[in-house]
Amino acid sequence: MISRHMNVTAIAFAALIFFIIGGCTPEEETEDESDPPEEEAADDEEADPEQEESDESYDYGVSAGHPDAVDAGMEVLEEGGSAADAAVAAAYAISVVEPFASGIGGGGVALIQEQGEAPEAYDYREVVPEDGIPASDIGVPGFVAGMTDIHADYGDSDWQELIDPAIDLAESAEVSDLLAEQIQSSEERLPVEQLDQLYPDGAPLGPGDELEQAELADTLREIRDDGGEAFYEGDIAEALDSEIEGLDMDSLANYEVGRHEPATGEFAGYEVIGAPPPLPGANVIQALQILEERGIAEEERHSTAFIHNTAMAWRLSQQFFETDVGDPDFIDVPVEELTDSESNAGLAEEIPDDSLLSVDPEQPYGGMDPNTTHITVVDEEGTVVSMTNTITNFWGSGEYAEGFFLNDQMARFDIGRDGNNEPEPGRRSVTWSSPMIIADEEGPVMGIGSPGGERIPIMLTQVITDWAGNGADLEGAVEAPRFHIEENALIMEEFPATEQQDDLTDIGYSELREPPTDLYFGSIQALAIDRESSALSGATDDRREGDWSSDTKD
């Protein structure tokens, strides 16, 4: 028995020594195996890209078609608001000081992309009313709904604070040269008797005069205090129902913002992001990819080859725009085919070096000169908003109610062919507004857009090609003279030397013409992020009254 006891004691002693040496119980061993060493955990934290991304701060800024809109957006950013907040504030502000271009009686489209996230699109353009298109071509306005949804999804600031700058401007603003020009030139088509604020005692306001829009200020207060419901279901809706032919309570109450995936495609090592159909984002990408295959990066910006290839690339893309693009809620649009680089490389081979591509005998749309306004915003987190708003033609339909002008967007159902753009209740028309975002592998690095009607796509093609494809700085790309092709004529801001003019006419261009108006080639509003320094660059497009500003968070 003594021997047996000694053996048990020895075994127990050995076990005790084993656990002491091991430094833990079997249960503690299991826990240690599942927990990483503290040093490894610290390394993992340091390597966490999301943590690094959240600590990165960017310059913030606003580019818009009027300095007052830039100021409104910058004030929001300086107070800690998001890019979406600033865009909403700038959009309302510019609708007051440029009532001929955009406003709560119209609509628009916006792209938003955060760093490291997928882009999103908001189509808040006008739709066909329940009873069809009225003689005025007024559609159900979407501007207020769009601003409301964008703020709900991406906003940080109080809604009321975003509308206050516009209310202040409505109470008193200075008439700019461009606004005075539009007031004076549009007198015959506007209801002057309703517009004492623009035509006091029947005489148009001039540059530097004070503009007081008391009725608009009251309408904006209702939207500020009661939100979008004030416009679509409240007193404003009732006024529109009673005063504007074609608009009714049901059409207003049933309005919904369109939500579709943005068009995307590769160009010059970047991802180009465009607005979804029925806008031409996919067609701008298509033109860029055609140009890349044509070796556009090797061509000098003002060369015959650059001009010819760009004109023909847009001619090809425009044909697809007119035959294939429509409202995706009503037809299937082959976006992936339009933005497929291999398919577009094949199209590039169709462009002859020494002649023009033939034009479909059915003439493209050519109506009144349309007008829009564009806003680009970048916040301190690097989020980019690219937003184009419009009431379509200058002063829209010319009809006025509750302090604002109503759109004539329904006229855009004249664009296109083959039944791709046929009106029916709730449908959006094809049009040329084209906000864009350019992104690298980390996220957005540029927002860009412009007014300019049917020239918008080819203008953006030129500037993006110059900046992303040819390495031009943003200011140089924006300042470079622009051109457009109309039938077989080239409309050019600056004529080349006589020898180059001869080269272009030898290719087949029927003539070189000057633009018919100073506003013909729009006003690019763009901001670009320097990925290495997080600094922001912009450009002032002197073709209109656009401006931009940026700052760094302290």
Side-chain angles (χ1 to χ4, degrees), residues 127-130 132-133 330-331 410 413 422-428:
V127 301
V128 178
E130 297 287 334
I133 298 177
F330 292 82
I331 68 168
M410 301 299 93
F413 280 105
E422 296 296 324
E424 52 188 298
R427 186 163 178 167
R428 292 177 171 84

Side-chain angles (χ1 to χ4, degrees), residues 290-339:
I290 291 171
L291 286 171
E292 186 166 28
E293 183 65 22
R294 295 285 299 175
I296 197 69
E298 301 170 7
E299 305 295 347
E300 194 272 324
R301 174 64 175 79
H302 307 292
S303 67
T304 298
F306 186 100
I307 294 168
H308 176 58
N309 282 319
T310 302
M312 292 300 99
W314 177 241
R315 172 162 284 182
L316 280 169
S317 297
Q318 185 178 24
Q319 294 295 311
F320 286 100
F321 175 63
E322 293 184 356
T323 58
D324 291 4
V325 175
D327 188 334
D329 285 334
F330 292 82
I331 68 168
D332 292 328
V333 183
V335 175
E336 292 186 1
E337 295 176 24
L338 294 173
T339 58

